[in-house]
Each structure stands twice: as structure tokens, then as C-alpha cells.
Amino acid sequence: MNTGIKDTIDKLKAGLDISDAELALLVRETGENYLRECADKVRRENYSDKVFLRGLIEFTNYCKNDCYYCGIRKSNIFSQRYRLSQEQILDCCKEGYELGFRTFVLQGGEDPYFTDDRICSIVSAIKKAYPDCAVTLSTGEKEYCSYKRFFEAGAERYLLRHETADPVHYRKLHPESLSLEHRKECLFNLKSIGYQVGSGFMVGSPFQTTSNIVEDLRFLQKLQPDMIGIGPFVAHSQTPFASCPNGSLALTLRLISILRLMFPYALIPSTTALGTIHPRGRELGLKAGANVVMPNLSPVDVRKKYELYDNKICTGEESAQCRSCLEARIVSAGYKAVTDRGDVVPH
Ligand code: 5AD
Ligand code: FES
């Protein structure tokens, strides 16, 4: 490894800022051992060997948006649409609670059926039944007052990836009806309301350049999110990007390590998309600096339908199987699964 790269990694590790050119070099560099070792060290200093579990409930695959990369985009007429009832969602939480989960992540497309009243009712019901659990929402772009109502109903965390911080790249991934400006506004609104906020982007999305990635990292520095989710782009056969190549495993892992050094305190998931492009992808993500996994708690009969991309893993397993499979993977990677709420450490 050239000494320039080592110096750059050491600077990042020491909490110093580096130039865009140095960051770009690090993103492109392929000798990743030292980077990974430093990231693992920083992760252990902040979180020891803990890996937090979040129970993921995919509660609707209806979406009014038409993002070009996404399998549940509204123009995908082959998608079999479903919504879970409040009762079904609570059943998922019950099963999850028994399996030890203390965070529930409600994720869905932007589905107008789920009005603010309905979301608030679901959040309050979960908080009432499981006051010791955190509720995370991931339901897309909403107005300030909606986010505020969800927060008052008891949702403490919100996941909304910015997808790409470059407006020109953003336009290549999304139709006119969506804007990067509004997405960023949503993220800052969520922060100002008091949510623990998660953002992030896809790695290797079509047309993405190294300088786009540098801009993504710079945007995250401005936002200072508590959670950062990244995963490889994976093509979905019924989208305009069907024939685009998937994002690379090595680049995703390198970026997880860079994120760990830049955001030592962050909660970084080792994502399902990473597990989809490589059989040991999630273990490698943990070793690269990730400290969260999100086992699927959705009812088995809907899992295949929440298909953001082709060949998504964990769609045939029961929740209990998913949990024990992940626990074994965490242990094999050299870490320990913990079931507490896993709030972000003070920073
Ligand atoms: N490949 C990988 N990730 C995807 N997402 C949506 N479509 C894809 C895809 N084809 C990601 C987006 C979204 C998150 C829920 O899933 O980043 O924010
Ligand atoms: Fe936009 Fe699904 S259509 S994330």
C-alpha cells in the first residue's frame, strides 16, 4: 500500500478532515486491509463487539413514486401489491418482541392509503403494547407537520436515504416529480423535530461517479445522521435499469469502512442488498465496520412481494429462522448480537 493512502487513512482515523482528492483516492483504492482494520478498531472503541438487531416490517409495497431503480415503483405492473393491516403489523411486533427485538422498523412505499392518522394509530398502538421498544419509520417524504405528528405519536427514529447528493445524478435516477431539494429538506426537518435520523445511498447506482460518492460523504458530514445505510445497487428486471450492472462488493465494503472512520459513533447496517450480491456479504459488512443488522419480520407470504431488486434474500424464511441465521452469521464474523434498543452513542 502506498504511504500516501496510509497517511490519509490515519488522518481520517484521527478525526481530521481530508481533501476531496484524498477522499476520492480512498474510494478508488483497492488494497483495503489497512482501511478495514482501522474501521474495525474504531467500531470496537465505540461499540465493542455489539451488533444491534432491528426487526424490519415491510408493511406496504404500494408506492406513488416511480424511481427508475426500484422494483416497487408505481409503473411496475407486474408487482403484486399488498398492505398489512394494523393488526397484522402488531402481530409481527409480537413475534419480534418474543424473539428479543427492541426496535421495530416500519418500512413501506409512499402509499397514500397510510394517511397520517393511520400511521399515528399504528405507532401509538406499538408504543402502548411495547413501551420499552423504539419505533423507526421509513415511509418516505412527508410534510413537516406529518413528521411532527408521527414523532408525537412515539416514533423516535426515521430512515430516509438521500440516494445521491448530486442534483444531476439525482435526476438520472428519479422522475421530474421528485427533487433532491425536497428530500434534503425532509432530512433537515426530521433532525429539527428531534428524530434520530438515518440517511444513505446506493453504491454503484447507474451513472454514479467517484465524485458523486465524495459529494454523498460531504452531504452526510453536513447532515450528521445517527444512522447511515448503504448497500449495492441491485438491478430489478421490471425497471428501466434492468440491464445495469450491480454495485460492487469491494466498493460497498470500502465505503462502510470510510463511513466508520468519518462517523465513529454511527449506526451502520450491514444490509440485505449486501447479502444478496454475495453469500457472506453481511458478515463482510460487519467486519468492514457495520454494527446493525435488520432481520425480516414481515409475514412470509408478503416477503417476496417487497421486491426492491431481484433475488432478494430472506424471503422464504420464518422470522425465527431469519433471526437465528443472522445471529450465527454475526458470531461467525467475530461479533455478538445484542437485543437492547441500541440507541446511538453520544457524540
Ligand atoms: N437496489 C438496491 N437498493 C435499492 N433500493 C431501492 N431500489 C434498490 C435497488 N434496485 C434502496 C433505496 C431505498 C431503500 C429502501 O432501498 O436506497 O432508499
Ligand atoms: Fe421510490 Fe420505491 S419507487 S423507493
Side-chain angles (χ1 to χ4, degrees):
M1 183 178 52
N2 91 39
T3 50
I5 292 280
K6 181 173 181 297
D7 287 351
T8 308
I9 295 171
D10 288 339
K11 270 201 261 177
L12 259 196
K13 183 161 169 260
L16 301 172
D17 210 1
I18 59 173
S19 70
D20 285 359
E22 287 174 309
L23 208 42
L25 237 134
L26 214 51
V27 171
R28 273 197 229 108
E29 166 73 14
T30 47
E32 50 268 321
N33 279 345
Y34 186 65
L35 177 63
R36 193 188 53 232
E37 283 159 22
C38 290
D40 188 54
K41 194 152 180 273
V42 168
R43 162 257 170 62
R44 285 178 192 271
E45 279 163 16
N46 285 278
Y47 286 102
S48 68
D49 57 353
K50 290 181 183 175
V51 175
F52 301 106
L53 302 171
R54 318 296 199 199
L56 180 65
I57 304 169
E58 299 155 330
F59 71 97
T60 174
N61 73 349
Y62 282 85
C63 192
K64 67 178 163 66
N65 294 332
D66 221 10
C67 309
Y68 305 139
Y69 46 83
C70 181
I72 63 167
R73 64 198 300 266
K74 73 165 177 210
S75 297
N76 181 7
I77 53 162
F78 299 102
S79 165
Q80 291 174 40
R81 305 289 170 170
Y82 75 90
R83 317 188 153 97
L84 301 185
S85 64
Q86 176 163 320
E87 201 188 338
Q88 283 176 303
I89 296 172
L90 282 162
D91 284 345
C92 294
C93 295
K94 182 167 187 288
E95 196 175 344
Y97 194 87
E98 283 159 10
L99 291 170
F101 299 123
R102 295 297 175 267
T103 293
F104 301 117
V105 181
L106 299 184
Q107 186 172 90
E110 291 191 18
D111 178 358
Y113 169 85
F114 285 98
T115 56
D116 292 356
D117 283 347
R118 288 198 169 104
I119 303 256
C120 286
S121 156
I122 293 164
V123 172
S124 323
I126 298 175
K127 289 300 288 190
K128 189 166 168 227
Y130 309 102
D132 54 332
C133 292
V135 175
T136 305
L137 288 177
S138 179
T139 57
E141 297 181 30
K142 308 271 173 182
E143 293 310 310
Y144 181 93
C145 54
S146 307
Y147 286 150
K148 180 108 183 139
R149 285 191 59 197
F150 305 160
F151 188 74
E152 281 158 4
E156 299 113 300
R157 304 178 185 154
Y158 205 100
L159 304 180
L160 182 71
R161 290 188 179 176
H162 66 278
E163 312 296 1
T164 172
D166 172 38
V168 177
H169 187 218
Y170 195 90
R171 191 48 59 235
K172 292 181 182 168
L173 303 180
H174 304 94
E176 280 298 323
S177 52
L178 294 169
S179 80
L180 177 59
E181 213 187 345
H182 188 253
R183 204 154 181 97
K184 286 184 175 174
E185 189 186 321
C186 286
L187 285 162
F188 287 103
N189 283 342
L190 289 161
K191 277 213 87 161
S192 76
I193 291 168
Y195 282 96
Q196 291 175 39
V197 172
S199 196
F201 57 92
M202 283 177 290
V203 177
S205 58
F207 313 108
Q208 185 182 56
T209 62
T210 304
S211 70
N212 292 151
I213 295 175
V214 171
E215 211 170 328
D216 287 324
L217 299 172
R218 295 297 182 210
F219 171 70
L220 292 170
Q221 282 181 316
K222 276 197 212 101
L223 180 69
Q224 289 291 310
D226 305 285
M227 289 90 76
I228 305 175
I230 63 166
F233 161 77
V234 184
H236 186 288
S237 51
Q238 247 83 45
T239 64
F241 292 157
S243 55
C244 294
N246 291 344
S248 98
L249 174 72
L251 179 57
T252 309
L253 296 176
R254 213 148 61 232
L255 280 164
I256 291 176
S257 298
I258 294 172
L259 287 169
R260 174 56 64 204
L261 295 182
M262 292 177 81
F263 305 91
Y265 59 82
L267 292 157
I268 302 177
S270 196
T271 56
T272 308
L274 196 51
T276 298
I277 61 161
H278 187 280
R280 296 193 69 242
R282 285 168 302 173
E283 291 88 317
L284 295 168
L286 294 174
K287 283 172 172 289
N291 59 343
V292 171
V293 291
M294 299 169 66
N296 201 324
L297 266 187
S298 311
V300 176
D301 61 313
V302 305
R303 286 190 192 189
K304 261 215 141 15
K305 300 178 185 159
Y306 199 82
E307 202 187 34
L308 306 182
Y309 45 81
D310 289 342
N311 306 315
K312 196 178 137 198
I313 54 169
C314 307
T315 55
E317 280 79 15
E318 294 288 338
S319 300
Q321 283 174 304
C322 225
R323 191 211 185 285
S324 54
C325 157
L326 266 170
E327 179 146 16
R329 287 171 190 271
I330 292 166
V331 171
S332 85
Y335 304 95
K336 190 176 77 200
V338 296
T339 52
D340 56 68
R341 279 171 44 118
D343 287 292
V344 69
V345 295
H347 57 279

